[in-house]
Amino acid sequence: MIWTPHATVAVVVEDELGRFLIVEERSSGQIVFNQPAGHIEEDEAILDAVRREALEETGWDIEPENFLGLYTYKAPANGITYYRFCFTGKARRRVTEELDTGIIAAHWLSLEDIRELGDRVRSPLVIRSIEDYRKGRCYPLDVITDSQT
């Protein structure tokens, strides 16, 4: 069996009231909460994947601002290792109410509200990345070199 890494993107988006853009979605028969996130498609530039996933899952036009970090997570449910390229971004405007299959709704929640979701948070990386963001962790987008851009 050939091991294939799963490359994903996620984006931490905070509004002017200190709330974060969170997606309520169905995953493996459960309702869970996550940042706008998903797999990078073949031949897709990483920053384009951030914009696409945010739009598909929330209806918001998101502009990536900084690279937050690369997070590794092995999901206990399926044993798959995910490499999560996490970014910060700004919500420019809501452009559609239509959301991707499996997405229930997009919410603006405080970090306290997200913590109260407990085991309904899709992975520990959701809270970890918000905490890293609040600590001021950020890198310029040009640390990402992408032959697609």
Side-chain angles (χ1 to χ4, degrees):
M1 181 164 117
I2 297 174
W3 178 77
T4 304
H6 289 254
T8 64
V9 294
V11 61
V12 174
V13 180
E14 184 179 23
D15 72 5
E16 65 280 351
L17 301 175
R19 300 172 304 174
F20 295 92
L21 185 56
I22 297 293
V23 175
E24 181 179 0
E25 63 185 338
R26 285 185 180 80
S27 176
S28 303
Q30 305 281 327
I31 294 176
V32 294
F33 295 81
N34 195 10
Q35 275 113 5
H39 284 85
I40 302 165
E41 295 179 356
E42 186 174 358
D43 297 326
E44 183 176 37
I46 292 172
L47 294 176
D48 289 343
V50 174
R51 292 180 191 99
R52 176 187 53 77
E53 286 292 347
L55 181 62
E56 291 175 354
E57 294 190 352
T58 71
W60 281 88
D61 175 23
I62 301 296
E63 186 56 38
E65 294 184 313
N66 294 289
F67 179 59
L68 189 59
L70 174 60
Y71 298 79
T72 305
Y73 179 68
K74 186 170 185 175
N78 59 18
I80 293 174
T81 299
Y82 295 91
Y83 294 95
R84 186 181 204 242
F85 295 85
C86 194
F87 295 84
T88 65
K90 181 171 184 62
R92 296 196 292 195
R93 62 188 175 96
R94 184 101 190 249
V95 296
T96 184
E97 297 288 325
E98 194 172 319
L99 304 179
D100 212 0
T101 303
I103 303 299
I104 298 167
H107 305 282
W108 290 95
L109 302 174
S110 69
L111 179 53
E112 196 173 285
D113 292 337
I114 297 166
R115 283 190 173 117
E116 288 176 8
L117 293 168
D119 63 357
R120 294 185 295 158
V121 175
R122 185 159 183 173
S123 89
L125 297 183
V126 173
I127 292 172
R128 169 78 188 274
S129 58
I130 292 172
E131 289 172 343
D132 287 347
Y133 162 78
R134 291 183 99 188
K135 290 177 188 171
R137 181 178 181 180
C138 67
Y139 303 94
L141 291 177
D142 65 5
V143 301
I144 305 294
T145 302
D146 196 327
S147 66
Q148 302 301 315
T149 56

